[in-house]
Structures are given as C-alpha cells and as structure tokens.
Amino acid sequence: MKKGKFTLVENTALVPGMHRLTFSGDGSGIVPGQFAEVAVPGYFLRRPFSVAGFDGGSLTLAVRVRGEGTAALAALAPGAELDIVTGLGNGFDLSAAGERPLLIGGGSGVGVLWPLCRALAADGASVTAALGFNSGTESFYVSDFAALGARTEVYTADGSRGRRGLVTAALGDFEYSSVYACGAAPMLQIIDREAGAKAQFSLEARMGCGFGACMGCTVETVNGPRRVCKDGPVFRGGELIW
Amino acid sequence: MVNTAVNLCGVELENPVIPASGAFGYGREFAEIYDINCLGAFAIKGTTAYPRFGNPTPRIADAPGGMLNSVGLQNPGVEDVVNVELPALAKVYSKKVLANVCGFSIGEYVSVAERLDAEDIVGWIELNVSCPNVHGGGMSFGACCEGAAAVTREVKRVTKKPVIVKLTPNVTDIVPIARACADAGADGLSLINTVLAMRIDPAARRPVLANVTGGLSGGAVFPIALRMVYQVYEAVDIPIVGMGGVSTARDVIEMMLAGATAVGVGAANLTNPFAAKEIIEALPAEMEKYGITNLVDIIGGAHNG
C-alpha cells in the first residue's frame, strides 16, 4: 500500500458512463487484481477503483459513473493532480492459473482483468478472455485483450456483438484450468456454482477506508466475516456466502 | 524545544494524539504502514462479549465534510481480542491502548471489562455507552444519566484501571450525563461519539444505509464536538479525551483549549491512513506558531477565569 500524487494524463470516455483515466505517477509494486483509492476533490471519502493498467510510471483506472463522486472524477481534465492510494487488497493468485486460464468479465468488471491477462500471457499461459456486455455499443477494452494475444470472445445480451447470451456461457464454451472473474454478483454466483475451487472472484463493495480499518465492506464467508478491501477483493470459489 | 507530553488519568502520554475507537481497528493495518509507537495511545475497536458481524451493508456513506457509518460494532469478541488481536499488537506496539468496551447489558460491560482489565497492554477501559448503531445496547445506556452512571459504577467495581466513559452527542444536554458519570466514579470522559444522521438516494428513493441511520463523523462534526468538550469541561473535574472531526494539529490545539487533556482522531485515519502520524509530526511547529511551550498548559485555556 502506497499513497502518492498522480497527474491525470488522459481521460477517455470508452462508452457512455465508462471512462478510462490514465495517470502518471508511481504505479510500481501493484499486483493484478488490487485496487486504488482516489481522493476526489470536494468529497470526503476516497473512491475505490480496480486498476485496469499500471507500470512503473503510470496507473490506469476504469471508472464507471455511479454517483456524484464518480461523475466529478470522470469530469476531470488532464493535468489534474490527485492523491491516490495504490496496492490495496490481496490481488489475484496467479500461481493457480494453470495452462488455460479463463478470464470472465462483465461490464465494468472487464478492466481489472486486463493487467491479469497481461501477466498470465507473459507467464506463457494460453489465456481466453470472455467479455460480457449488454450490447455491442457498451463494449470496451476488447481490442486491448486481443492485443495481448489472448483468445478474446465477446458476449452480448442482445447479440449485437459476438455471441448472444450471458458471458457465463464461456464456462461451457471453453476448456479451462482456472477461472478469474469480475462482474455483477449474479454472474459470479453462477461461476462459483460451476467452477467451484478453480474460480477466483474480484468483488466490488462500497468502502470506507479501503485498507481494513473501518469494517464498512464486510461480507459473510464460510470462514467468517471478511473485509472485501483487506481480505479481498479477490475471493476463492466456495468461499462466499451469497 | 516544545513539550507535547500529557497525563491521562495517571498514565503519561508522549503526546495527546489518540486514534479513536472504530477508526483504527486493533492497530495492525496501520502498523503495516508506519511505526504506531509514535502515537500517544490508541483506542481499540469496540469489543463485545461475543463475535458480531454488525449491521447489513451498505453501512458506509459519504457526506459533506464527513462520512456516515452504521457498522454496528463488528468485532471478533473479547476472547479473540485477548487471544489473537492484543498479542499480535504487542509485537509491534509497546505503549498502552484504551480498551473500548461495549455491551447489551450491564453484565456484558462488566464481563468484557473484567477480561480486558487483566491485559498489560490495556491502560484504560473506555466504556462505549454511545454507539448509535445498535439496538438495546451502546447509546441506550449513555443517553440517560441513570444508565450511564449504572454502567460506570458496576465496571468500576471490577477494574483498577482508569475508566473513561465515552459519551454520545445525541442528547438534549450532554452536561448532566457527564456529571452523572463523574459522580459514579468515572476517571475520565471521552466525547463525542458520532452524530446520528442519514442520507437518501434520490434515484432509489431509499435511505443509503441498510440500517437507515448511521453516525456522522469527520470535519463536519468538529465544531459540535468542540462545543460539547467546552461545556463538559466547565461541569466536571476529570480529564476529557476530546474527539470529533479532528484532522489537523490546529484542531488538537483547539480541542485542548476547550478542555481536552488528550485528543482522539477518528475519521481522518480512514481518508488518510497516515493522518495520526502527520498530526503528531505537525504538532511541535503548530505549538511554536501559537507560542505554546508545554502543551499541558493550554488545557481548558479558552475558559475565562
């Protein structure tokens, strides 16, 4: 966990309500699946976002506009300097990937899988990325996954891009040694049921601090109460009580 | 060279800054990022007899100048605190903690306090009779003189350690309750706990918090807390731990001028994990700025005569 100043370099509206914010600053020491807490000027609590890209000198966040704080963040122009805490949460366990990891992302949950895909591909795994959206016009990040050499399949609810149907169909469409998923709770529940211990989920939660102090984001697990921000955001299949 | 030391109920503190209960867990998250031995002391998370999950989520909301929480006393229970949390803490922290004790009956307060009294690392028992987020416990004792006094009196029987009673601001007049605690044998008072509040999601037309209401903390409550510390200081002769929205070294000085002997820092730790450390580091320069050599000299300094 590190706290530092970051300068907004690029703010791109990927699709309506979904922005990719790229910052310059210390993006080192981050594990795929970890998140960042952004101090949004004018708001008290930091806002948590999954990290959709990082390297030694940059940090990329995928920001869905949900309320006033996220709207204010998405409205910032390049040059804005923000205070961001990085390296939060446990991150994905890459050692469990095996040869054929399947990445399943739904909507805004797609972003956090990109640095994971990059790391797994660098490890020599044969990665499949299944990316689910409501429609083709809401899809984003697809070419970024393809650019990493991952087999990339799009699923849309209305069939306007890629395969028609729920992205969880990927569990039947592809062989996999492991599943890494981020998206809405109903999607994760299906994956939990079908992939069990092979699955890892990144959860989303309304947080206070983001580092385990306030107990604001607790969920029930088979091992007792766990904090999404500190004990997660990545949980194993079979661990969560939905 | 300035002197930041204060004495809280007979225990010497290097400085008056005390991260407040509920904003600092059992210390370990902060010990990972800085040496928490720089603190004057800190208050552990409110501890009950048995483990508690707390209230349903969402239990955190943003607010202008602050935040709401309705966590509802999530904690692992006193046995786990004694067997796991405090030994882990003792490995990285050599000072004392305020053991924040909560209950749903006087008997629970007594049994939890008695269990924690036996721990060397516990310097004070802080009686949480002011949690606004649980039903039938916490604030229901502290919102009236009789309840607050009864808990204080019974806990005093089972501990030799100083008992500090943490008061709620959610009352018409905090002063008689402060007096009742002092008369019942309290060694100190801490105030304020959070201010009962709520937010509504206009799109959903529903309260944001699953618990409907929660406690407001952060800078927004600082002037309220300051006023109450000022009032209570005039009414009692026991030390006060002033807290509520403190986020800068200047706030610490204001709190002490109002009458606080030590100063709690709560929500500020959550938005800036280094807040307590930064306040402590800024304190000497802030004292020099206002011509303060010995911090103890300013306690209650804003009162006339």
Side-chain angles (χ1 to χ4, degrees):
Chain A
M1 164 172 156
K2 279 196 282 196
K3 181 174 169 294
K5 299 284 180 205
F6 288 78
T7 305
L8 184 61
V9 176
E10 203 180 330
N11 178 352
T12 310
L14 298 167
V15 295
M18 190 78 216
H19 286 243
R20 178 168 61 194
L21 271 57
T22 304
F23 298 87
S24 65
D26 182 5
S28 66
I30 296 173
V31 174
Q34 287 187 320
F35 67 97
E37 281 266 21
V38 180
V40 184
Y43 293 85
F44 187 79
L45 290 172
R46 288 172 188 266
R47 299 299 197 270
F49 300 100
S50 55
V51 172
F54 60 88
D55 61 37
S58 78
L59 179 76
T60 300
L61 305 176
V63 174
R64 175 170 299 279
V65 176
R66 287 269 178 86
E68 289 178 43
T70 44
L73 187 59
L76 290 175
E81 192 184 66
L82 298 182
D83 186 292
I84 301 178
V85 180
T86 57
L88 294 166
N90 55 357
F92 291 111
D93 175 8
L94 277 70
S95 71
E99 289 180 3
R100 293 175 182 279
L102 171 61
L103 279 43
I104 304 180
S108 52
V110 160
V112 72
L113 298 177
W114 186 81
L116 173 71
C117 185
R118 182 177 62 178
L120 292 172
D123 283 351
S126 176
V127 186
T128 301
L131 311 176
F133 305 95
N134 287 322
S135 66
T137 54
E138 292 180 37
S139 63
F140 62 93
Y141 251 69
V142 178
S143 58
D144 300 78
F145 281 87
L148 295 172
R151 174 169 185 176
T152 306
E153 292 287 343
V154 174
Y155 293 75
T156 52
D158 64 359
S160 56
R161 183 173 181 185
R163 305 184 187 204
R164 177 192 292 268
L166 298 175
V167 69
T168 48
L171 292 167
D173 293 347
F174 303 101
E175 282 183 35
Y176 56 85
S177 52
S178 59
V179 179
Y180 296 86
C182 186
M187 172 193 129
L188 299 182
Q189 263 178 282
I190 293 171
I191 297 168
D192 193 18
R193 198 164 58 229
E194 296 192 17
K198 285 186 177 177
Q200 294 181 40
F201 312 107
S202 179
L203 292 196
E204 192 176 69
R206 181 185 283 264
M207 294 174 184
C209 64
F211 56 91
C214 76
M215 313 287 165
C217 62
T218 306
V219 291
E220 280 285 17
T221 76
V222 296
N223 305 310
R226 290 290 182 268
R227 300 159 295 181
V228 172
C229 69
K230 180 75 176 178
D231 306 307
V234 177
F235 291 87
R236 296 290 183 139
E239 203 179 344
L240 293 161
I241 298 168
W242 299 97
Chain B
M1 195 63 187
V2 296
N3 181 7
T4 59
V6 297
N7 186 302
L8 181 62
C9 308
V11 184
E12 195 77 17
L13 303 182
E14 204 175 303
N15 64 68
V17 177
I18 300 179
S21 179
F24 215 71
Y26 293 91
R28 61 167 80 174
E29 293 75 22
F30 294 87
E32 285 174 16
I33 55 168
Y34 69 86
D35 182 0
I36 60 173
N37 289 295
C38 70
L39 304 171
F42 81 90
I44 62 170
K45 180 102 181 77
T47 299
T48 51
Y50 300 103
R52 284 178 56 83
F53 178 84
N55 287 321
T57 57
R59 54 196 198 184
I60 294 285
D62 207 354
M67 62 177 282
L68 273 63
N69 90 80
S70 58
V71 170
L73 294 173
Q74 182 187 341
N75 79 96
V78 70
E79 284 307 316
D80 201 70
V81 169
V82 166
N83 295 322
V84 179
E85 296 294 344
L86 295 182
L89 176 61
K91 288 189 179 132
V92 293
Y93 181 69
S94 56
K95 294 184 172 175
K96 302 289 185 192
V97 296
L98 286 78
N100 187 283
V101 170
C102 198
F104 293 81
S105 65
I106 291 178
E108 183 174 2
Y109 279 101
V110 169
S111 70
V112 175
E114 198 166 16
R115 190 79 178 88
L116 288 164
D117 174 71
E119 298 301 307
D120 283 343
I121 200 168
V122 172
W124 311 259
I125 301 288
E126 184 179 50
L127 286 181
N128 180 355
V129 291
S130 44
C131 176
N133 295 321
V134 295
H135 299 285
M139 200 174 93
S140 62
F141 290 99
C144 65
C145 296
E146 296 75 18
V151 176
T152 306
R153 200 179 303 118
E154 295 307 314
V155 168
K156 276 296 287 179
R157 289 185 210 279
V158 299
T159 179
K160 292 271 188 293
K161 291 181 174 163
V163 173
I164 294 172
V165 186
K166 185 165 180 179
L167 302 180
T168 175
N170 303 308
V171 291
T172 310
D173 187 358
I174 198 170
V175 170
I177 298 170
R179 270 203 205 101
C181 293
D183 291 345
D187 300 285
L189 300 171
S190 54
L191 59 144
I192 57 175
N193 205 316
T194 55
V195 178
L196 197 58
M198 74 183 294
R199 296 298 312 262
I200 291 172
D201 178 345
R205 303 189 181 190
R206 291 283 178 274
V208 170
L209 297 172
N211 191 51
V212 180
T213 59
L216 176 66
S217 59
V221 308
F222 177 70
I224 300 172
L226 195 67
R227 181 264 295 177
M228 290 190 167
V229 168
Y230 187 93
Q231 288 177 314
V232 168
Y233 180 81
E234 302 219 320
V236 300
D237 294 322
I238 53 178
I240 297 168
V241 183
M243 65 183 79
V246 171
S247 20
T248 63
R250 182 214 154 97
D251 294 345
V252 171
I253 289 170
E254 280 199 53
M255 265 296 178
M256 295 186 73
L257 287 166
T261 294
V263 179
V265 178
N269 293 295
L270 305 179
T271 57
N272 172 10
F274 299 97
K277 176 176 184 277
E278 289 174 5
I279 291 170
I280 291 163
E281 286 167 354
L283 198 50
E286 199 71 2
M287 287 169 65
E288 277 170 15
K289 185 172 161 187
Y290 297 107
I292 302 163
T293 308
N294 286 304
L295 206 45
V296 286
D297 294 343
I298 70 162
I299 297 169
H303 296 257
N304 294 325

